[in-house]
Amino acid sequence: MPQLKAATVSNQIVRKRKRNDVAEEESPAIDTPGEASITKTTPVPTKTHDGGTKPKRVPKAKKPPPLVRNEPTFSNLVTSTIPWPASFQALEKTHRALNLVFTFCCTRKHLITTFDTIKGSVEGHIKRELKIEDVAKIVALRPGGMNFSYVDEAMLQVEIKGAERDNTFKGGKSKDWFAQHPAPDASVGGVTGQHGLGNDEPATGNGEEVLYFEFIDGDLKRQVQDKKKGEAVKARPKLRNEELKMPVYSQKQMMNLIEKRNTKFGNAINDFLNRCDAENTDPEEALTKEAEGFIPIPTYSRSTTPKPDFSTLPATIPKDRKAVPEIIKELKESEWYTSQIVPDGHRVFDPQEAIYGDLNFQLSQDLVNALYNTKNITQLYAHQAEAINNLHDGHHVIVATSTSSGKSLIYQIPVLHELEKDHNTRAMYIFPTKALAQDQRRSMKEMMRYMAGLEETIVETFDGDTDMADRNLIREEGRIIFTNPDMLHITILPQEERWRNFLKNLKYVVVDEIHVYNGLFGSHVALIMRRLRRICAAVGNRHIKFISCSATVANPMDHFKTIFGIENVKMTDFDGSPSGRKEFLCWNTPFKDPGDPASGRGDIMTESARLFCQLILRGVRVIAFCRIRKGCEALVSAVKQELAALERPECMARVMGYRGGYTPQDRRRIESEMFEGKLMGIIATTALELGVDIGSLDAVITVGFPYTIANLRQQSGRAGRRNKDSLSVLVGDCFPTDQFYMQNPDEIFTKPNCELQVDLQNMLVLEGHIQCAAYEMPIRPDEDAVYFGKNLKGIAEERMIKDNLGFYHVNDRFRPVPSKFVAIRDTEEEHFAIVNISHGKNIILEELEASRAFFTLYDGGIFLHQGNTYLVKEFNPEKKIAKVELVRVDWTTQQRDFTDIDPIETEAICRIPKSLSRAFYGKIKIQQNVYGYFKLDKRRRILDAVQVDNPPIIIFSKGMWLDVPKQALDILQERRLNIAGAIHAAEHAVLSLMPNFVISMPGDVRTECKIGIKEFAQKESTRKRPARLTFYDAKGGAGGSGISTKAFEFIDLLLKQAVRRVEACHCHEGCLECVTSEACKHANEVMSKAGSEVILKSLLNMDIDVDALPMGPEEGSPAGIETVVLAKPVLPRGRMDITEIRRGIDGNEAVVVDHVEIKQEFED
């Protein structure tokens, strides 16, 4: 099947089909609105997917017929039962002229298609005056295919300089040009450039509006000019010193698009005439009447004009919303609804009544009063009572129930009960984020206000934001501290002598959201907890009780024991909390032209913004989750535009973004406003996925599949905190993973919860924490092996300093403070300040991590903050500052970059058994280059191309690599299979299997993903990449995280499993079960499943049936100029042993098979 791609710079849609679909291709069919609208609503018992038993597989609805792209629906001509009236013939001619002129203007960056701009050219074709009413009639016939409206002229201006009147941008090389008749710098506030730049409101222009026309049913695909032939060809990558240029378009492509639109318009006329004939109405009168609603009205005259009827939206946001089923019904009856809810994608979870339990001990009257006055609680749920009873009986406790089930009371009540009995009691609450700690502190303080004798008790957060002046008081007098693993690791444990009184009296340690401590981060936290237990035992405290709460996972009890290294644990996983009826929708982004799949999927941000606004304007409190920060800002901007289009600008202040990078003050303010009910909607990254209490929410919108089912379930659980009915919506993007779940919604509800894994044998992590423990208190291997394992003695003897008394001390390379050398998560100390200089201000908007800065900030680029657009006026990498100015534009910028991942030094070599191939381990260099950016409109069409000269970002790590044998490259070239796609697919196949051998999480180890704009190029590239599979540690800095080291030991088994996985999968082009990945940076665009099999088998020296391989080029990989060359070996320093892993019943043994000079060997 040919690929479906929107004519923009956005990622291609790559659809995968299974072999059992092949027979169906003989009778192709297209998804039609009629078919998609038959959505089955399947009731599912509440909480079976999150806190109880697994649900039974719901019978699947009949699968929709496969999508066939080479037979688009527009070719199915609609015929008319009556002849065309003369006026309709004239309209058809006018449409042809409009289509021709608009398409031509799209190829010229200095031509904006305002009505005044195109009017003369269109009149030259139709030989009569072009009237606004004529265009309105054309739009009325195909309302989904065109946009005809008044827009602010400043929004169309692409070259803006800001209030300071710069003539050039530093580093920018684009020419000065302006849209048709622009207001002088209207984008930043009128003629002076100083108007309308208040701190909290967007910049405003001088109110000048122009009538704008555009087709919105498909775009021209970006091409560039061939230097030799002069014709337009597919875009090649613009790399290193090559100059970025605006795209060009071939005449053939332009004519195809023009003819396609003309055919669709002819079908629309025939359809309209047939309808009029069936209703026995006059077509000319009917069209004139319908067109009245499409005649554009300037904003300034709308106040005296009746507003358009926006379906069933209430005039003001109601205090009490309607029931969710009624709201869904209204959405489906809206004029913009085109069967976005996929077949079998509407599920209903039944409500559950509360189940209560009793404590087996008495609470004080003060504590009972506090519960009632602060939370209106008179009874505890069964799971709360069970967990508190277990704690009271002397057990450690793990609670694994659904989101919003009242877990926090389980660790609040015992601590308050103990404080009443003994005022010297101490408790430590450990949360993964500062926001969660602040949230729980507020809740605890509120309860203590009602408890006699505890009103003045010091209950404070102790984190990186705590003032130095307050730290001594909190340490000496604090009874409950709220902190995070980082502070425990860096500050509290290394200063144990200062904290000794606190640690002696420590009775409860609460570790909330324990499911976050998984993979590498989990390994660090598990060893920190052992260090804490060791110090407390040393000061005579062996009676600490650990309490943890978790989202629903497959192994909560085992994970709890691994994190804390303790037994005597009781688990509570029955959920007694009530829940309202919950509805779940799989909502697919419609095609640009709903009747034409070949037009490509529309913009997910526009679709999500429309759904978001429809819900909040009906009184539904909504949170939307985006995968990345930029997506969060883009959605805030899109929501504000949608509210403006719905003529509800007063609601903009009730929608806010929430993500990493905002200042702590801004984040606290947003949390507070949401909690108090001032906001109707919040748009967040996963920063709010955890249980921060921001008040009750009615709906969750997940914008694009969030990488894992666990994330989706966690986000979905944020809705429905008042026992009322709630709604959760997954909006599908154009990527293969999203479309997989849109086509198979049953997978969302039936996939089992994932198991959490923590590796305590990662030598790099283990040694780091043993050195930290020795700094806190010298190591005695015999006594401390209970905390750090049986290998402690060997590590101590090899890597630590022993004194005369037999104690082991910190190695000098970890001094002066070991915890400073052991990074427990991938945080960065270096940040860039983004300073708002609008209207003479000098205010820090936010701080940005150094690794993100060069991908987000560049002179002349657009930076998004709370949906507002800021122009980057000055970017100073040396001073780590970027000055930005608020502007009002209708476009954004997207960086053009590439990343080279190359090994630079070999540290170990392993020969693959029964093969001549070798695996290498060593130092990896990751170089990221931003060489320019595109200016994109809201439909992601390129408006301009600008080159920048930012310095490359270079980081180092550790990793392993395998050079692809020449034999494999010869076979791939012979069969015309895409080599880059084959390497990419093989890398994904190996990467996906690493958790089978090494405890790791997605993202702990990464590879070099391939991008289509380079690999499918039609012209020779100067950037050739070596034929090599490369894997590197994404965390741990230059020393790596140790994960790729362990994977290196199992490389032969990894390759064998990968071959079996690829061979066994029934798909043709690659799918999530074999060679594609949900986390692929470039959306699995460049893939060759058949090619990956060739590479994997050649590395293992297995037989390859060349004749059975498909002959390329493959449908998913268009033929291009090859970008991959034979890899040159990376040499070690001096001599090196070559080992081979011999695997047997008694275990594995590394055998040295050679130890020659590597350089000599390769030359031979």
Side-chain angles (χ1 to χ4, degrees), residues 833-884:
I834 298 168
V835 181
N836 179 13
I837 60 170
S838 305
H839 203 36
K841 292 181 173 62
N842 199 31
I843 300 169
I844 294 180
L845 274 185
E846 59 179 273
E847 292 187 340
L848 194 66
E849 296 91 334
S851 63
R852 295 176 186 261
F854 292 98
F855 290 87
T856 310
L857 303 168
Y858 28 81
D859 289 317
I862 292 294
F863 180 76
L864 294 171
H865 179 86
Q866 283 297 351
N868 295 326
T869 48
Y870 291 83
L871 176 70
V872 180
K873 297 284 293 177
E874 181 186 340
F875 178 46
N876 191 325
E878 289 76 27
K879 294 182 178 179
K880 294 184 173 51
I881 191 170
K883 295 180 179 179
V884 299

Side-chain angles (χ1 to χ4, degrees), residues 99-113:
N99 188 7
L100 183 68
V101 172
F102 174 82
T103 307
F104 171 78
C105 289
C106 285
T107 66
R108 301 291 184 269
K109 75 172 186 177
H110 59 282
L111 287 179
I112 304 298
T113 52

